[in-house]
Amino acid sequence: HLTAAEMPTLAAVPEDTTLLRVDIDDIRDRLLTDAWVKDVTIQRVLPNTLEITITEREIAAVVEISNTDASDIRRWAISDDGMWLMPIPDRDSEAAKLVSESIYADIEHVLTITDVPYSEQPDIGTYSNDAYVNCALAIVNSLSTSLVDMIEVVVANNTSSTTMVLDNGIEVVFGDDTDVRLKEQICLQLLEKYEGKIVYINVSVPESTTYRTL
């Protein structure tokens, strides 16, 4: 998402410095102020090269955030560690022309977190303090099987009843972010047992799982 053209500006290496005198820690700190930059490795390569390797954050989800009066919804990209990466402009807008094409390619393959009650307005480069969003991310990040790839939408309007809608339309009420592996296994067992017939699963209390079939 960062381009080679953007790197020199972010690094801001002083023009009058030498390879041996350049302040690597200072450059690293500047690069880490960018929301996309997760980690930086900088090496001096004699005689005259400064090699900068960036590890970028990846988009884990698109979060739909409403404004204070719920009159408008903005879509935000968020990483798996909960950092707000950027607001996503409408694809055909003027603002979209300034955004890397890879952003739009990436969001085609990530889930959407929706119905988030108003609690905070995101700020680029900060970590989410929204309990609803953080609960949804914690659940998704803890999933370890094919179930995570089936999720299209996470409805995050209540931390105790976080709900996932799968790509086949099945609704899964997952609840909070406890007992994730147990809930995951119950879901997979039911999906396999009632393949093509099940339409609803509630594992918010795994010991009292309920489900509905056609």
Side-chain angles (χ1 to χ4, degrees), residues 38-208:
K38 186 174 185 178
D39 196 15
V40 183
T41 300
I42 304 176
Q43 291 183 322
R44 294 180 175 89
V45 182
L46 295 174
N48 58 5
T49 299
L50 193 66
E51 182 179 272
I52 302 175
T53 304
I54 297 293
T55 301
E56 286 193 349
R57 288 184 171 86
E58 297 181 359
I59 300 174
V62 173
V63 186
E64 295 182 348
I65 301 288
S66 62
N67 57 11
T68 52
D69 60 2
S71 62
D72 185 46
I73 292 178
R74 298 194 73 184
R75 298 191 305 157
W76 276 80
I78 194 169
S79 64
D80 60 3
D81 62 353
M83 178 167 282
W84 296 113
L85 297 173
M86 63 174 290
I88 302 171
D90 291 338
R91 188 67 186 86
D92 298 324
S93 67
E94 285 298 313
K97 296 177 181 179
L98 303 176
V99 174
S100 168
E101 283 292 329
S102 61
I103 302 294
Y104 293 98
D106 286 353
I107 65 176
E108 290 293 323
H109 305 287
V110 300
L111 56 88
T112 298
I113 299 175
T114 188
D115 289 8
V116 179
Y118 178 81
S119 61
E120 69 165 336
Q121 287 300 298
D123 191 17
I124 295 173
T126 64
Y127 289 100
S128 170
N129 291 318
D130 189 296
Y132 308 98
V133 173
N134 291 348
C135 180
L137 278 178
I139 291 171
V140 173
N141 288 339
S142 298
L143 295 175
S144 61
T145 66
S146 58
L147 184 63
V148 68
D149 296 324
M150 303 179 195
I151 303 170
E152 284 199 348
V153 174
V154 179
V155 180
N157 56 12
N158 191 319
T159 54
S160 63
S161 60
T162 304
T163 300
M164 305 182 303
V165 180
L166 307 186
D167 53 15
N168 53 12
I170 296 172
E171 183 178 315
V172 179
V173 180
F174 211 81
D176 60 22
D177 57 356
T178 61
D179 299 318
V180 172
R181 295 294 176 85
L182 174 60
K183 295 174 182 178
E184 181 179 27
Q185 289 304 315
I186 293 171
C187 287
L188 291 173
Q189 290 168 8
L190 289 171
L191 289 169
E192 181 179 2
K193 183 176 181 178
Y194 299 104
E195 184 177 359
K197 297 179 181 179
I198 198 162
V199 294
Y200 172 87
I201 302 171
N202 188 328
V203 289
S204 56
V205 181
E207 298 79 7
S208 303

Side-chain angles (χ1 to χ4, degrees), residues 8-28:
T9 301
L10 285 171
V13 180
E15 292 184 5
D16 61 349
T17 193
T18 66
L19 187 62
L20 295 179
R21 289 172 46 219
V22 65
D23 191 334
I24 287 178
D25 290 337
D26 192 40
I27 295 171
R28 185 175 188 275

